[in-house]
Amino acid sequence: MKNDSSFDFDTVVNRRGTDSAKWDKYQGRDIIPLWVADMDFKSPPAILRAIRERIEHGVFGYTLPPSELNAVVVSRLNDQYGWEIESEWLVWLPGLVTGFNAVCRAVGSDGDDVMTAVPVYHPFLSAPANFGRRLIKVPLMETNWRWSFDFDRIEESVGPQTRLFLLCSPHNPVGRVFSAEELTTLARICETHDMIICSDEIHCDLILDPEKTHIPTASLSASVADRTITLMSASKTFNTPGLGCAFAVISNRALRKRFVRAIAGIVPHVNALGYVATLAAFRDCADWHAALLDYLRANRDLVADAISQMPNLSMAPLEATYLAWIDVRKAGIENPIEFFEADGIGMQDGADFDGPGFVRLNFGCPRETLHEALRRMAGAMEKLDTGCWMLDA
Ligand SMILES: Cc1ncc(COP(=O)(O)O)c(C=O)c1O
């Protein structure tokens, strides 16, 4: 069955046997993978067309960013977020993980501290130690079904060696779109303590709550921009993470120089197809993007509704991303990942994000797949409720 738009998100594409990290994890097992953050949809037709054309050319030499690309990014950031940037502020990268690791390398020196708020996308947790930096983790707070920063604890935890804050905005895994007030308060703390902000905004075009808008941290003010390195990519929204193309926006020339020095000689060029896909995504895919958001909103509602009916599971309203952050603490399950895998659902362990007692469910998949996964989940919870799971184990 097709969805209402002319784009097809309903067809189940068989990803088995395609060396997909997500699907190959469960090779030979009847487990629906809902873990790593890529979607099971084909990329937009305009991207596929652009890649096909590029492949037809047949020569894949060292490639510069397409001449149009910087201008397209500059105008897109202005159109979408009212954020005015200059073309020279852009640094192209093969990925965001590379980007925030490079930031850890570029900012401060051995033994300095890097702060982040947890739970958080797990490579944030390992990046500081890759460069001899100490990680300071400050828990996010959940109050009245809303995750937020604990500003008092952030302020208290800043030490004389704290040089950098790694921010995930919108937030993976809690799915928040931070308000101007929240971002301003955080930025003020960073300004007071002379900390650089690395703002990972990879999920910025996946806003599901129509009342919310993404605010790039660096767009708050010129002085915040001066201490901010923003990381972005088309890869999450247009489902091209396997094509390795991302960018940093750094308005402060000295900071940009440090960043470029940190990647020099060790970070490879962006590949030709990644550039082509990014250009097509940002220039030609607005309709597909709108249709995707509608589809994901309906998927999110399905997940939220199903979870609300499962005993002892809960989730706060999800404002962005296609990743549901589900609280399983009340269910008393010792190993939630193994528990759900036993019934054919492969989610990601909250402990990976420094959020034990939670699981992360990726609903970026056709509705048929999601229905089946939720049916299996409900079955698993029902067995738990009646004690049958103990007998199975
Ligand atoms: C917050 C965040 N940053 C970065 C990445 C990965 O970025 P990349 O594949 O460009 O290294 C992800 C992927 O899930 C993510 O959620």
Side-chain angles (χ1 to χ4, degrees):
M1 203 181 71
K2 301 263 189 287
N3 64 309
D4 289 345
S5 81
S6 52
F7 300 109
D8 175 16
F9 299 102
D10 281 326
T11 296
V12 175
V13 180
N14 182 7
R15 298 184 66 192
R16 291 189 197 274
T18 63
D19 303 315
S20 147
K22 187 183 189 182
W23 284 81
D24 274 17
K25 178 174 179 190
Y26 296 117
Q27 234 171 16
R29 298 165 73 190
D30 178 22
I31 296 179
I32 301 171
L34 305 172
W35 63 288
V36 71
D38 67 31
M39 301 188 284
D40 293 332
F41 308 127
K42 285 194 182 184
S43 284
I47 293 185
L48 299 181
R49 235 178 356 255
I51 291 176
R52 273 191 209 108
E53 264 171 36
R54 183 64 188 82
I55 287 174
E56 276 308 306
H57 180 261
V59 182
F60 303 106
Y62 295 116
T63 305
L64 301 169
S67 51
E68 241 189 297
L69 185 55
N70 278 21
V72 165
V73 171
V74 169
S75 71
R76 181 182 172 82
L77 294 178
N78 200 358
D79 295 347
Q80 300 278 318
Y81 313 114
W83 183 24
E84 287 181 25
I85 68 155
E86 288 175 25
S87 180
E88 310 80 81
W89 300 355
L90 296 171
V91 182
W92 289 93
L93 297 164
L96 270 85
V97 173
T98 303
F100 59 71
N101 270 275
V103 175
C104 288
R105 184 173 201 226
V107 175
S109 48
D110 250 20
D112 281 346
D113 304 329
V114 175
M115 182 178 283
T116 197
V118 294
V120 78
Y121 176 57
H122 50 93
F124 275 39
L125 304 172
S126 48
N130 291 341
F131 304 96
R133 312 297 194 254
R134 269 177 5 118
L135 176 66
I136 299 177
K137 299 182 288 187
V138 180
L140 290 167
M141 307 189 288
E142 192 191 7
T143 8
N144 300 328
W145 292 94
R146 189 165 181 270
W147 289 92
S148 182
F149 295 108
D150 184 339
F151 292 115
D152 292 340
R153 270 185 85 171
I154 289 176
E155 186 91 61
E156 281 160 25
S157 308
V158 176
Q161 304 284 103
T162 315
R163 306 271 180 253
L164 174 64
F165 193 96
L166 291 181
L167 168 66
C168 190
S169 172
H171 194 275
N172 169 17
V174 304
R176 276 295 318 285
V177 178
F178 296 117
S179 66
E181 197 186 346
E182 288 170 296
L183 292 171
T184 303
T185 308
L186 184 68
R188 201 176 304 127
I189 296 173
C190 293
E191 282 186 306
T192 306
H193 298 281
D194 197 16
M195 291 158 67
I196 300 294
I197 304 168
C198 176
S199 191
D200 176 329
E201 303 183 13
I202 197 169
H203 296 280
C204 63
D205 293 320
L206 291 166
I207 308 300
L208 303 184
D209 184 336
E211 312 272 290
K212 305 274 150 108
T213 41
H214 172 69
I215 301 169
T217 307
S219 72
L220 290 173
S221 71
S223 69
V224 174
D226 212 39
R227 61 177 62 255
T228 300
I229 295 175
T230 306
L231 301 172
M232 290 181 161
S233 172
S235 65
K236 286 289 144 196
T237 309
F238 299 95
N239 210 27
T240 56
L243 294 177
C245 183
F247 58 93
V249 187
I250 315 171
S251 59
N252 177 324
R253 184 200 285 261
L255 191 56
R256 190 164 67 246
K257 238 172 126 178
R258 267 153 70 193
F259 180 81
V260 168
R261 208 177 305 127
I263 60 175
I266 51 172
V267 172
H269 302 109
V270 172
N271 75 88
L273 299 183
Y275 277 138
V276 163
T278 302
L279 177 59
F282 287 159
R283 192 191 52 196
D284 306 325
C285 297
D287 291 349
W288 186 93
H289 180 204
L292 171 78
L293 290 179
D294 283 345
Y295 199 86
L296 291 178
R297 283 182 186 116
N299 276 9
R300 176 211 45 192
D301 293 347
L302 261 181
V303 172
D305 189 47
I307 295 300
S308 73
Q309 293 178 41
M310 293 182 208
N312 297 319
L313 298 194
S314 62
M315 59 183 267
L318 191 81
E319 299 169 351
T321 80
Y322 49 78
L323 307 162
W325 185 239
I326 301 167
D327 188 343
V328 300
R329 286 172 298 185
K330 284 203 187 120
I333 305 166
E334 197 173 318
N335 183 331
I337 294 310
E338 280 180 11
F339 170 78
F340 287 114
E341 281 176 354
D343 274 288
I345 321 112
M347 291 183 285
Q348 192 142 0
D349 196 344
D352 296 348
F353 305 86
D354 216 300
F358 288 76
V359 291
R360 196 189 70 172
L361 182 156
N362 174 346
F363 56 81
C365 60
R367 209 143 292 150
E368 184 184 324
T369 310
L370 186 60
H371 273 300
E372 175 58 15
L374 293 171
R375 192 191 63 74
R376 291 182 185 191
M377 239 178 124
M381 292 310 293
E382 212 168 290
K383 274 198 265 173
L384 182 70
D385 213 27
T386 56
C388 292
W389 186 70
M390 302 292 284
L391 300 175
D392 280 0

